[in-house]
């Protein structure tokens, strides 16, 4: 695509702004709303909607076809009807530029020049992990990334307590001297109830960043410890519990996670859905088989995620439904069960299958 010279050579953090400033009266700026498409935006702005079809049939158009709510789209129109150029602010570090060329658009994605600064931070849990992370100057997103790294070993819904400590080494990303976002966590340590967990980042052969213990064992294990992030346990695994709806004592063969209606529920491991639908007192429920040995159950759901059905393959961490109160439930929560060879076991205490070690070809580099 032929771009204006000042854009090609401009290395500032907001390299598209000179284009917008050149003829500000001819640019229309639109904040993308939920449900927006390029066609709807053009129509709302009084511009020729045929441009939406031309964009869709042009190369590299994916970003402009699947617009994300909250992001910003700028449209240049010389005559108030045509759409001659587009600037789409994709992320704080990337933007998309499209220019009309006959019956199609030339579209490029432009990545802003960045520098990375390595940061070290530590903190101690006083009241909550999030509050302590804020005191340490860590963003909510970075805190969540840390919990994802240790999510196979630590149940952050129940196990974090005052006195727990954490350390992080991570990257901050700067554009033209201004911090734009945080980058990857390079190393992390979490001391939970006196036990120390450590994780080191390693970029595998496929380009994916994965985390390993200092001994080279993968932090990613077969099962996540919790199917609902940052909820609280309202009822534990028990051989005898007073049921709040039935008003009698019976075994509670799973764990209840109290969470608000609509909270995402994620599968704790890769597997195949063997049941999806109503199941007696469980209400709307999903059962997933994880090979011949393990299975999990997720009950009292308000709804299921689109596109999944009996026989669907699901990946660890995939959102499969939303918290609800269907069936015999006194309020919104997720009832989660874990079975080994058909026998119920406590999801909070079962022993994880051993994790995969780092590949032998990468081991020497990793140890260095």
């Amino acid at each position: 695509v032929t771009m204006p010279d000042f854009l090609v050579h401009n290395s500032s953090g907001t390299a598209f702004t000179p284009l917008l400033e050149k003829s500000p009266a001819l640019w229309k700026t639109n904040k993308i709303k939920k449900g927006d498409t390029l066609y709807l935006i053009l129509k709302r702005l009084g511009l020729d909607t045929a441009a939406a079809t031309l964009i869709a049939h042009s190369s590299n158009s994916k970003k402009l076809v699947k617009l994300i709510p909250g992001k910003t789209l700028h449209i240049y129109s010389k005559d108030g009807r045509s759409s001659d150029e587009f600037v789409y602010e994709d992320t704080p570090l990337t933007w998309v530029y499209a220019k009309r060329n006959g019956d199609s658009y030339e579209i490029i994605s432009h990545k802003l020049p960045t520098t990375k600064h390595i940061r070290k931070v530590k903190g101690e849990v006083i009241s909550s992990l999030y509050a302590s992370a804020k005191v340490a100057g860590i963003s909510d997103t970075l805190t969540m990334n840390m919990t994802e790294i240790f999510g196979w070993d630590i149940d952050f819904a129940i196990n974090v307590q005052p006195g727990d400590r954490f350390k992080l080494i991570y990257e901050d990303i700067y554009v033209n001297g201004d911090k734009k976002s945080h980058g990857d966590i390079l190393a992390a340590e979490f001391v939970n109830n006196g036990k120390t967990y450590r994780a080191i980042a390693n970029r595998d052969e496929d380009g994916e960043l994965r985390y390993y213990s200092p001994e080279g064992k993968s932090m990613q294990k077969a099962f996540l410890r919790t199917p609902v992030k940052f909820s609280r346990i309202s009822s534990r695994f028990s051989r005898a519990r007073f049921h709040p709806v039935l008003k009698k004592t019976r075994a509670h063969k799973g764990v209840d996670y109290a969470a608000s209606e609509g909270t995402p529920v994620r599968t704790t491991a890769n597997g195949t859905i063997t049941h999806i639908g109503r199941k007696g007192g469980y209400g709307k429920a999903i059962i997933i088989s994880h090979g011949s040995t393990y299975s999990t159950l997720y009950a009292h759901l308000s709804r299921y995620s689109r596109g999944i059905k009996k026989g669907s393959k699901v990946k660890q961490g995939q959102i499969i439904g939303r918290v609800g109160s269907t069936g015999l439930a006194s309020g919104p929560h997720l009832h989660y069960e874990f079975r080994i060879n058909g026998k119920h076991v406590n999801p909070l205490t079962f022993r994880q299958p051993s994790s995969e070690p780092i590949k032998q070809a990468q081991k020497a580099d990793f140890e260095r």
Side-chain angles (χ1 to χ4, degrees):
V1 61
T2 304
M3 296 181 66
D5 288 342
F6 64 83
L7 285 185
V8 175
H9 301 295
N10 192 313
S11 61
S12 73
T14 51
F16 61 85
T17 52
L19 185 60
L20 305 182
E21 292 167 354
K22 191 176 181 182
S23 304
L26 301 181
W27 283 93
K28 297 177 183 288
T29 297
N30 184 87
K31 185 74 76 173
I32 296 162
K33 304 174 184 175
K34 187 176 181 180
D36 263 353
T37 63
L38 190 54
Y39 174 87
L40 291 175
I41 292 172
L42 292 170
K43 187 176 181 180
R44 187 162 65 234
L45 296 176
L47 299 172
D48 186 3
T49 56
T53 303
L54 296 182
I55 287 281
H57 290 125
S58 300
S59 299
N60 304 319
S61 64
K62 185 177 179 180
K63 294 285 187 181
L64 292 174
V65 171
K66 294 187 175 181
L67 299 171
I68 298 175
K71 297 186 182 294
T72 302
L73 178 68
H74 310 275
I75 306 172
Y76 176 73
S77 177
K78 286 184 289 189
D79 56 13
R81 285 290 300 161
S82 61
S83 301
D84 305 294
E85 298 173 59
F86 293 84
V87 169
Y88 177 53
E89 298 183 42
D90 184 28
T91 74
L93 301 177
T94 59
W95 53 281
V96 178
Y97 176 70
K99 185 176 182 180
R100 180 77 177 263
N101 183 10
D103 291 333
S104 66
Y105 282 82
E106 294 177 319
I107 305 171
I108 65 161
S109 290
H110 181 70
K111 191 169 185 178
L112 303 179
T114 63
T115 56
K116 295 179 180 179
H117 299 266
I118 294 178
R119 306 294 188 202
K120 299 178 182 179
V121 70
K122 62 181 179 179
E124 181 174 339
V125 177
I126 304 300
S127 57
S128 73
L129 175 59
Y130 268 87
S132 302
K134 281 188 180 296
V135 170
I138 304 175
S139 69
D140 287 353
T141 303
L142 200 63
T143 305
M144 186 170 288
N145 290 350
M146 177 177 65
T147 65
E148 290 292 320
I149 292 171
F150 295 112
W152 290 273
D153 294 302
I154 303 170
D155 187 338
F156 284 90
I158 62 165
N159 287 346
V160 175
Q161 53 194 346
D164 285 357
R165 303 185 307 279
F166 58 86
K167 295 179 183 178
L168 287 181
I169 300 174
Y170 66 97
E171 296 172 332
D172 269 343
I173 299 176
Y174 284 74
V175 175
N176 200 32
D178 295 326
K179 181 180 173 181
K180 288 294 179 179
S181 67
H182 63 77
D184 298 317
I185 293 176
L186 304 179
E189 176 184 280
F190 202 97
V191 181
N192 174 238
N193 196 24
K195 185 174 181 180
T196 301
Y197 301 89
R198 292 190 178 100
I200 312 294
N202 184 75
R203 199 166 295 280
D204 288 352
E205 293 169 339
D206 58 5
E208 287 291 318
L209 196 70
R210 294 185 173 88
Y211 293 89
Y212 297 85
S213 71
E215 296 74 35
K217 290 187 177 180
S218 176
M219 300 300 292
Q220 181 174 351
K221 299 179 177 64
F223 291 89
L224 291 170
R225 278 296 176 188
T226 172
V228 185
K229 294 181 182 179
F230 310 118
S231 58
R232 66 176 178 84
I233 287 182
S234 54
S235 184
R236 295 173 178 263
F237 186 90
S238 173
R239 299 297 176 189
R241 181 197 70 151
F242 184 76
H243 196 284
V245 176
L246 298 177
K247 305 298 182 185
K248 61 181 180 181
T249 299
R250 59 186 292 184
H252 189 243
K253 297 180 179 180
V255 174
D256 290 347
Y257 289 89
S260 57
E261 183 102 9
T263 299
V265 174
R266 57 184 183 169
T267 178
T268 52
N270 297 341
T272 303
I273 294 177
T274 57
H275 171 89
I276 181 168
R278 286 200 167 263
K279 187 174 176 64
Y282 288 122
K284 290 183 177 179
I286 293 175
I287 299 175
I288 299 175
S289 171
H290 311 283
S292 59
T293 304
Y294 304 96
S295 67
T296 53
L297 176 144
Y298 312 77
H300 306 312
L301 303 174
S302 59
R303 61 184 186 275
Y304 313 110
S305 295
R306 289 181 180 179
I308 62 171
K309 58 185 179 180
K310 185 176 180 179
S312 292
K313 302 287 186 184
V314 291
K315 292 185 176 295
Q316 186 179 66
Q318 180 176 333
I319 304 302
I320 55 173
R322 303 281 169 164
V323 167
S325 53
T326 56
L328 293 176
S330 57
H333 70 279
L334 174 74
H335 176 78
Y336 173 63
E337 292 184 3
F338 193 93
R339 301 183 194 189
I340 300 178
N341 293 320
K343 181 181 178 181
H344 288 90
V345 299
N346 189 339
L348 303 178
T349 58
F350 80 95
R351 185 167 183 166
Q352 284 267 20
S354 58
S355 57
E356 291 292 318
I358 196 165
K359 291 182 179 178
Q360 194 65 33
Q362 291 188 308
K363 192 171 182 180
D365 285 340
F366 175 78
E367 287 177 347
R368 276 196 295 271

